[in-house]
């Protein structure tokens, strides 16, 4: 007779408590990482750059005279003493103010190379002189009757401005490539762009044009008068409007207005409609008549 091994019930296992992870969003994490890195970099002493105002632009690139010299001496307004004081940059001295310098102090010529002078943090007197000199356009206390020669380059401000310009160009490009046809075609007409081409070519041409003056280009899309003038040019091409040197008529011969001597036809039309408070009415009327003729 075979003895059966008694079955042992398995012990119940109490699950171990697991700590709930602290939720830290990616945004917070990377913000802290950036801030820590930025603060460390900001704490470092960096050179200060001054740039000449006078330059030429050749193919979009600034060009400066190879070397420019000027004496490191000036008379400035000292806001602390509320008086005019003579300043001078001289190595070995403890101050830029002439009345605080030794008798042996000598004027040193300051040299810009390729339009720039880089002042290291180890030369605090030169930095103080460059900032307080009247030649410095960015000096808030400069004497207005003195000539502006250079400015202090603020890399943070310059980067922000450059980024803002890039964003504006991108917005202009997006409008040119994505805006609906009821805006694109009239604006293209208004800007005298040939619309007898593929839509891709029209948009590409608008994109290039918009990059030249993106702010002005963006404003055009909210300029009801510009869009209306573009519509009028289209309407005239299709015979919806009949324009002569003397008047503007509908296609059926109904006179809209007489054109004042010397005024462009559609400039005069916009002025007339605004004076008569009929601008919105005629925009709708023009679209309706164009649809009736062109949309057939």
């Amino acid at each position: 007779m075979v003895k059966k091994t008694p079955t042992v019930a398995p012990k119940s296992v109490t699950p171990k408590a697991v700590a709930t992870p602290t939720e830290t969003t990616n945004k917070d994490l990377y913000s802290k990482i950036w801030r820590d890195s930025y603060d460390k970099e900001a704490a470092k002493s960096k050179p200060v750059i001054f740039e000449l105002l006078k330059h030429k632009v050749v193919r979009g690139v600034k060009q400066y005279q190879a070397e420019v010299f000027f004496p490191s001496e000036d008379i400035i307004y000292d806001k602390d003493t509320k008086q005019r004081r003579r300043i001078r940059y001289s190595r070995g001295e403890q101050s830029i103010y002439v009345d605080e310098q030794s008798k042996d102090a000598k004027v040193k010529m300051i040299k810009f190379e390729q339009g720039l002078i880089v002042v290291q943090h180890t030369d605090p007197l030169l930095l103080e002189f460059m900032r307080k000199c009247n030649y410095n356009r960015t000096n808030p206390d400069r004497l207005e009757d003195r000539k502006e020669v250079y400015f202090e380059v603020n890399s943070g401000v310059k980067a922000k401005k450059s980024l803002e310009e890039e964003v504006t160009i991108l917005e202009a490009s997006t409008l040119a490539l994505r805006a609906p046809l009821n805006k694109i075609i009239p604006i293209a007409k208004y800007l005298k762009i040939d619309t007898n081409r593929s839509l891709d070519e029209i948009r590409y041409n608008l994109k290039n044009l918009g990059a030249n003056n993106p702010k002005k280009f963006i404003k055009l899309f909210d300029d009801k008068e510009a869009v209306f003038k573009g519509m009028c040019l289209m309407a005239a091409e299709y015979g919806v409007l009949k324009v002569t040197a003397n008047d503007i008529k509908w296609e059926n011969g109904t006179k809209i207005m007489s054109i004042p001597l010397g005024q462009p036809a559609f400039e005069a039309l916009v002025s007339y409609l605004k004076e008569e408070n009929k601008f919105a009415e005629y925009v709708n009327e023009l679209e309706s008549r164009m649809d009736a003729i062109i949309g057939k």
Side-chain angles (χ1 to χ4, degrees):
M1 188 173 181
V2 181
K3 293 182 178 180
K4 293 183 180 180
T5 304
T7 302
V8 181
K11 295 180 179 179
S12 59
V13 180
T14 303
K16 294 181 179 179
V18 179
T20 304
T22 303
E23 291 187 7
T24 303
T25 64
N26 286 342
K27 182 179 179 181
D28 291 338
L29 172 63
Y30 288 105
S31 176
K32 290 174 182 177
I33 292 173
W34 166 78
R35 173 52 65 182
D36 182 61
S37 176
Y38 176 81
D39 288 343
K40 288 179 180 178
E41 187 65 24
K44 296 178 182 178
S45 297
K46 296 182 178 64
V48 178
I49 301 173
F50 296 90
E51 182 178 341
L52 290 176
L53 291 167
K54 186 177 180 180
H55 64 274
K56 296 179 180 178
V57 178
V58 179
R59 295 179 181 177
V61 178
K62 289 182 179 180
Q63 291 188 355
Y64 301 88
Q65 188 175 328
E67 293 181 341
V68 174
F69 295 86
F70 68 90
S72 61
E73 195 166 19
D74 196 8
I75 296 176
I76 67 161
Y77 172 74
D78 180 13
K79 64 180 179 181
D80 294 328
T81 62
K82 293 182 173 54
Q83 294 179 349
R84 293 195 177 194
R85 299 179 69 185
R86 184 179 295 275
I87 60 172
R88 173 174 58 199
Y89 170 64
S90 180
R91 285 184 176 176
E93 296 296 325
Q94 301 301 311
S95 171
I96 64 169
Y97 295 100
V98 172
D99 56 17
E100 297 175 357
Q101 293 180 347
S102 67
K103 295 180 180 180
D104 299 326
K106 295 180 180 179
V107 176
K108 180 178 175 60
M109 298 298 289
I110 291 177
K111 180 173 73 172
F112 281 80
E113 296 185 80
Q114 297 300 329
L116 303 174
I117 182 171
V118 180
V119 182
Q120 301 295 336
H121 70 280
T122 52
D123 198 347
L125 287 185
L126 178 57
L127 179 57
E128 184 181 6
F129 176 86
M130 294 295 292
R131 282 177 166 166
K132 291 186 175 180
C133 182
N134 289 301
Y135 291 148
N136 179 17
R137 185 179 67 181
T138 43
N139 173 11
D141 300 313
R142 67 179 300 275
L143 301 177
E144 295 297 330
D145 59 339
R146 304 300 173 87
K147 183 180 179 181
E148 296 177 344
V149 176
Y150 61 85
F151 65 96
E152 182 176 340
V153 177
N154 186 320
S155 58
V157 172
K158 191 172 184 179
K160 182 179 180 181
K161 183 178 179 182
S162 178
L163 182 60
E164 288 174 350
E165 289 173 349
E166 290 292 335
V167 169
T168 304
I169 292 173
L170 181 59
E171 289 177 356
S173 297
T174 301
L175 278 174
L177 299 176
R178 300 282 181 85
L181 291 183
N182 65 336
K183 286 289 185 75
I184 284 294
I185 300 302
I187 286 174
K189 283 291 184 186
Y190 175 77
L191 294 173
K192 299 179 181 179
I193 289 175
D194 182 10
T195 57
N196 296 319
R197 298 178 298 167
S198 71
L199 182 57
D200 287 343
E201 289 177 293
I202 295 170
R203 287 188 182 276
Y204 183 74
N205 203 328
L206 278 171
K207 173 182 171 293
N208 291 337
L209 193 62
N212 294 329
N213 194 334
K215 289 184 179 180
K216 185 177 180 180
F217 182 77
I218 291 170
K219 286 181 180 179
L220 271 181
F221 284 78
D222 292 321
D223 188 337
K224 295 180 180 180
E225 293 180 18
V227 173
F228 179 70
K229 290 173 188 175
M231 290 171 58
C232 289
L233 288 167
M234 293 171 58
E237 286 183 8
Y238 284 92
V240 178
L241 288 178
K242 294 184 178 181
V243 183
T244 67
N246 300 316
D247 54 34
I248 301 174
K249 299 177 181 178
W250 290 116
E251 77 284 352
N252 59 8
T254 302
K255 185 176 178 178
I256 300 173
M257 65 167 292
S258 298
I259 302 173
L261 185 65
Q263 284 193 27
F266 298 134
E267 288 282 353
L269 177 59
V270 168
S271 297
Y272 166 74
L273 294 177
K274 289 174 71 176
E275 288 173 2
E276 297 294 321
N277 293 319
K278 295 181 178 179
F279 184 78
E281 175 188 336
Y282 267 70
V283 169
N284 294 331
E285 179 71 12
L286 183 60
E287 285 183 334
S288 177
R289 287 175 180 263
M290 287 174 64
D291 184 60
I293 292 178
I294 303 172
K296 289 180 179 179

